[in-house]
Amino acid sequence: MPPWLLARFVGPPLHSWPTLQQLRLWAAQPLTTQTLTAGLTVFAWLLWLLVAYAVIVTAARRLRAGARWLRRLPLPTPLQATATGMAGAAALTAPANTTATAPPVQPIAVSAGTLHHDAVDAPEVHAGEGVTIPGGWLPQKTADQVAAAATLVWLRRRRRYQPGLRESPDQDDPDLAPLPAAVTAVQAAVCVPDQDSSERSPDEQPRATVPPSIAALPATGVAFAGGGAADAARGVLVTALLAALRDPPDAVRVVITRSALTTLLPPAATAVCDSIPALRVTETAAHAVELIDSLASPTPDTAGPSPPMHEEASRLVLITEPPPGPAADRLAALLGAGRATAVVLGAWPLGATWSVDQHGRTVNARLPGQAGPRLCVLDRVAAMDLLTVIAPPTPSHAPQAVTAPRTAVPEQRRQPPEVRIPRQAGEDRTPQPTPPVAAQPSVELRVLGQPTLLIDGRAVTIRRSAAVQTLTFLAVHRHGATTAQLVQAIWPGLAAHTVTNRLYTTLSVLRAAIRAASDLSIIDHTDDRYRLRSEHLEVDLWRLHTAAHHAATTLTDPTRAWQAVIDAYTGDLAAGHTWPWIDPPREGTRRLVLDAYAAAASTQHDPRRAVELLQAGIRVDPYNENLHQRAIDILTTLGDHAAAQRLRDAHRHRLSIAGLHPSDTLGQPREHSNASTGD
């Protein structure tokens, strides 16, 4: 079409080759009407040739790409073609109404993550990069360390619990306080496998490595500037303390001046920081440099080369304001030797200066075009939340979660009120003559062990992990939970208004699965509270609570009452799941049966039967030191010193590979077997 238009209205580019006379005339007078017309004609034809060339090249390229795709297209093998044809014939000849295959008689445990995962149930995590929480951002390795520290917190609580000392199972236990919001948000994002660190061999334990926020710092020290400077310094402080959790208890890994501490953290942090063995607070920068010098200098007992891994992992971290002249020179020499890393809050002419934004991204201030690594950043609230899991337990054995004032927290970061874990005893406060023996219910929810919903003895397949979690949460909170409480528990760290639709979708899927198996409605929604309908549902956790309350209040035949509690406990609450909210109620449920074992053992006249009960309790919680001590005391009294020694060694080994330091008093004779044990 374009060549025809050009030939029709413009004409050919040249009617004939120019003669010598025409060339002379053109040289004498180049700009004439005839020469301009000929030039425009030639330009139009050249433009069309350029467009035609581009179209032909593009078409050829696409044809070659299509040919390559056809060559790679897999064709079905003869066996596959035969199988496909047989399947199609069977589908065409099958009757319209088919009978569904009957489900298996044995209950099928519904596990989150094994049946179906929807994108709406996944936490908001930047895979391979890090974890974003309210108030900060953590590299993936730092987030893993936070999750490991949270696990150690619960192992410490399990270790120091003293079964049988509560006046009533209804008594609120401050030792079951949930971990802070920032910690649960990290746990939800990391999704740590539900395997105690003690269950792994020593070769599988985390290796000592340089924390990511520490390894990225320049060897000559660095000064942080910009809007995220203080947040980055808090990130370095928390990261270094997390890495020091598996160090010897007297090892100092972080030194910070008092003024730097008050700049980064609220006043309430002073008591917490003073209790952390790996952290040393000095009054001035000069004192901090002297302490770094003494700690970095090898002693006669430790002189000599160290393995490279430990050499790097044991670097000291100093957080300080700019030191005075002589101290600055000494600090520069220490940094040059590679035995310390310094973060200076202010101008630092002897080292690098990084500009840090609120997301942790860094830029070398002296080389504006050079981007640096991304650092862990934490605001005051998030840093205090993470320090709570780093600090050792208080002497009273009641965890005191120190929280920074939230008056300065932006409005969008405010969270709904923290979900209060209900009392871990039965809701029926009226003493019963005997534990109730319910008839076979038509609908039963088992949450002790693998969560399973049974209707007429058959397991209901629930294809959404959040639905299984919702059922378990409502079983724990028998009086129900609001929409905000459910959202906060299942999707911690996310704004409630952004995930409310996920809850509605989850409940819709759950109701549909139940309707497919029964006409009963087991979830009631009244006044914005969801609860399980006890008139249509039996829950094994509720039976355990009722039996525990009856055993604690009965005056006749306590041995049989405590045995009923032991029989009602069929496994850990939601075994195999690592939901961030599950630890407090799971530990509270475990303590009910530990109380039962301890109380049943104390009523035995036969010491060997008492040892059997205590050992059964130890199998429920192999970290509890009080049960070990009671069993060791009885075995020692019976003269079975070898069995007592084996029990003590096994407990020490389990604690050590879990990252806990065994008590020196375990196995020694005591005046009272219920004496408390420190951590």
Side-chain angles (χ1 to χ4, degrees):
M1 188 68 180
W4 180 84
L5 292 176
L6 288 173
R8 176 71 175 80
F9 296 102
V10 178
L14 292 175
H15 295 280
S16 63
W17 291 101
T19 64
L20 183 60
Q21 182 63 27
Q22 290 175 335
L23 291 176
R24 289 175 179 175
L25 292 176
W26 175 79
Q29 192 177 0
L31 297 179
T32 63
T33 303
Q34 185 179 2
T35 57
L36 290 176
T37 302
L40 291 175
T41 302
V42 172
F43 176 78
W45 279 97
L46 290 176
L47 181 62
W48 176 83
L49 289 175
L50 180 63
V51 172
Y53 171 79
V55 171
I56 293 172
V57 170
T58 303
R61 185 181 297 111
R62 292 183 177 178
L63 286 175
R64 286 196 300 268
R68 287 195 299 268
W69 178 79
L70 288 175
R71 286 196 299 267
R72 293 194 303 266
L73 182 65
L75 298 177
T77 63
L79 181 60
Q80 292 174 331
T82 303
T84 304
M86 294 176 63
L92 292 174
T93 58
N97 297 324
T98 58
T99 304
T101 303
V105 177
Q106 295 296 328
I108 301 177
V110 182
S111 322
T114 57
L115 295 179
H116 178 70
H117 273 293
D118 294 308
V120 296
D121 288 340
E124 293 184 356
V125 184
H126 304 288
E129 182 184 3
V131 174
T132 300
I133 63 173
W137 178 88
L138 298 86
Q140 190 63 46
K141 290 184 179 179
T142 303
D144 294 339
Q145 290 174 330
V146 171
T151 301
L152 284 178
V153 169
W154 286 105
L155 290 182
R156 291 191 187 101
R157 294 181 180 184
R158 291 170 61 178
R159 173 193 173 183
R160 67 174 178 256
Y161 177 66
Q162 301 177 48
L165 295 188
R166 289 186 295 179
E167 296 179 359
S168 168
D170 300 341
Q171 179 181 354
D172 287 329
D173 193 344
D175 199 37
L176 296 178
L179 297 181
V183 180
T184 57
V186 172
Q187 288 179 294
V190 171
C191 295
V192 181
D194 197 23
Q195 179 186 19
D196 289 341
S197 56
S198 62
E199 302 298 331
R200 301 190 298 241
S201 65
D203 294 337
E204 297 175 317
Q205 296 301 317
R207 296 296 185 182
T209 57
V210 181
S213 292
I214 308 301
L217 300 180
T220 57
V222 61
F224 290 154
D231 292 350
R234 282 187 284 265
V236 171
L237 172 64
V238 171
T239 302
L241 292 177
L242 285 169
L245 284 178
R246 287 187 175 271
D247 287 342
D250 57 346
V252 177
R253 290 289 172 257
V254 184
V255 178
I256 187 172
T257 61
R258 185 74 61 182
S259 61
L261 181 64
T262 56
T263 300
L264 299 178
L265 298 174
T270 302
V272 176
C273 293
D274 289 341
S275 66
I276 299 177
L279 178 63
R280 189 70 58 85
V281 182
T282 63
E283 296 301 327
T284 65
H287 292 161
V289 173
E290 293 178 3
L291 179 60
I292 289 288
D293 191 5
S294 63
L295 293 174
S297 300
T299 61
D301 295 336
T302 61
S306 300
M309 180 184 68
H310 296 285
E311 182 76 18
E312 291 293 330
S314 62
R315 283 196 302 172
L316 295 167
V317 177
L318 171 63
I319 303 177
T320 179
E321 66 277 5
D329 297 336
R330 182 56 184 158
L331 177 59
L334 291 173
L335 299 180
R339 297 304 302 273
T341 300
V343 173
V344 181
L345 305 180
W348 177 243
L350 301 180
T353 300
W354 286 0
S355 177
V356 189
D357 64 10
Q358 295 181 348
H359 302 287
R361 298 181 177 89
T362 61
V363 175
N364 194 325
R366 298 176 184 175
L367 300 173
Q370 182 178 351
R374 190 175 183 183
L375 301 178
C376 174
V377 285
L378 301 168
D379 67 4
R380 290 187 170 213
V381 177
M384 286 302 302
D385 284 354
L386 300 186
L387 285 175
T388 301
V389 300
I390 298 174
T394 59
S396 62
H397 293 170
Q400 304 294 331
V402 181
T403 305
R406 293 189 176 264
T407 55
V409 180
E411 188 65 27
Q412 62 269 20
R413 286 205 46 222
R414 296 186 182 274
Q415 299 291 330
E418 189 174 53
V419 178
R420 179 181 176 85
I421 300 300
R423 298 174 183 269
Q424 296 300 312
E427 301 296 337
D428 184 7
R429 309 282 178 169
T430 305
Q432 301 292 331
T434 57
V437 180
Q440 178 65 28
S442 58
V443 182
E444 181 183 8
L445 176 61
R446 298 176 183 175
V447 294
L448 298 177
Q450 282 288 335
T452 308
L453 179 63
L454 300 171
I455 297 181
D456 292 332
R458 295 179 178 179
V460 176
T461 300
I462 303 175
R463 298 188 179 276
R464 187 178 289 266
S465 60
V468 180
Q469 192 172 171
T470 300
L471 274 178
T472 309
F473 190 87
L474 294 178
V476 172
H477 299 76
R478 186 169 182 175
H479 288 309
T482 64
T483 300
Q485 290 172 332
L486 282 168
V487 167
Q488 181 190 4
I490 300 175
W491 297 283
L494 302 180
H497 68 277
T498 63
V499 291
T500 301
N501 287 336
R502 298 187 188 184
L503 177 63
Y504 297 154
T505 303
T506 298
L507 291 171
S508 176
V509 171
L510 179 58
R511 290 192 175 104
I514 296 172
R515 282 197 303 268
S518 173
D519 294 333
L520 294 177
S521 174
I522 66 172
I523 300 179
D524 179 55
H525 185 208
T526 305
D527 297 331
D528 193 35
R529 293 190 71 85
Y530 295 92
R531 68 176 184 88
L532 297 180
R533 303 184 65 171
S534 57
E535 65 272 19
H536 294 164
L537 180 71
E538 280 289 336
V539 182
D540 56 354
L541 179 64
W542 298 352
R543 291 196 296 266
L544 174 65
H545 286 170
T546 303
H549 180 77
H550 168 70
T553 56
T554 186
L555 299 177
T556 59
D557 201 358
T559 302
R560 179 178 298 179
W562 289 119
Q563 186 61 45
V565 177
I566 295 172
D567 295 338
Y569 186 82
T570 56
D572 287 344
L573 179 64
H577 295 277
T578 55
W579 306 320
W581 62 269
I582 197 64
D583 285 321
R586 176 182 287 164
E587 178 60 17
T589 305
R590 184 187 290 116
R591 291 182 179 186
L592 290 179
V593 72
L594 294 185
D595 291 342
Y597 278 115
S602 64
T603 62
Q604 294 295 322
H605 299 290
D606 182 2
R608 297 196 176 277
R609 174 56 182 163
V611 170
E612 292 176 359
L613 289 170
L614 293 173
Q615 288 178 331
I618 290 172
R619 286 191 290 272
V620 172
D621 189 355
Y623 296 97
N624 188 268
E625 188 165 300
N626 187 267
L627 291 179
H628 282 82
Q629 183 64 58
R630 295 187 187 192
I632 290 172
D633 289 343
I634 298 177
L635 290 172
T636 303
T637 302
L638 293 174
D640 195 347
H641 300 283
Q645 184 65 34
R646 287 194 301 270
L647 185 59
R648 180 179 63 180
D649 292 344
H651 184 55
R652 286 176 173 271
H653 178 68
R654 182 177 292 274
L655 292 179
S656 62
I657 65 176
L660 300 176
H661 304 291
S663 173
D664 295 333
T665 61
L666 179 63
Q668 297 181 1
R670 300 189 179 189
E671 295 180 1
H672 303 284
S673 60
N674 289 341
S676 64
T677 58
D679 194 54

